[in-house]
Amino acid sequence: GASDRAEQLRARQAPYDLVDQIWEGAKDRGLDPAKRPEWSVVAGLRDQTDALVEQALQAQTEAGDENPL
């Protein structure tokens, strides 16, 4: 149901937020992680976790859940 989909979104959002903080932290330190090969794993994780969040949001939208976030 809707509560399960909301929980799934929260469960997927948490790892995205962590990986995004790592990515943004690198940028804040003056690095350009998008251009550094050693950051490719973080970039991949960021893309993967973002896709998982988007899928959870799509499931909520398709189900007609109110207030997806």
Side-chain angles (χ1 to χ4, degrees):
S3 64
D4 293 330
R5 286 185 292 275
E7 179 58 33
Q8 188 62 218
L9 176 58
R10 285 189 294 276
R12 293 173 181 219
Q13 187 70 49
Y16 173 80
D17 290 344
L18 176 63
V19 174
D20 189 56
Q21 286 175 357
I22 293 168
W23 185 264
E24 292 300 323
K27 289 170 44 179
D28 290 345
R29 292 189 309 275
L31 301 175
D32 189 352
K35 294 184 179 180
R36 299 178 68 124
E38 65 270 24
W39 281 86
S40 64
V41 171
V42 178
L45 284 171
R46 192 167 179 250
D47 291 344
Q48 180 69 34
T49 55
D50 182 52
L52 291 170
V53 168
E54 289 302 317
Q55 289 170 351
L57 286 168
Q58 182 178 0
Q60 288 182 315
T61 299
E62 289 175 5
D65 295 349
E66 292 184 28
N67 303 318
L69 295 174

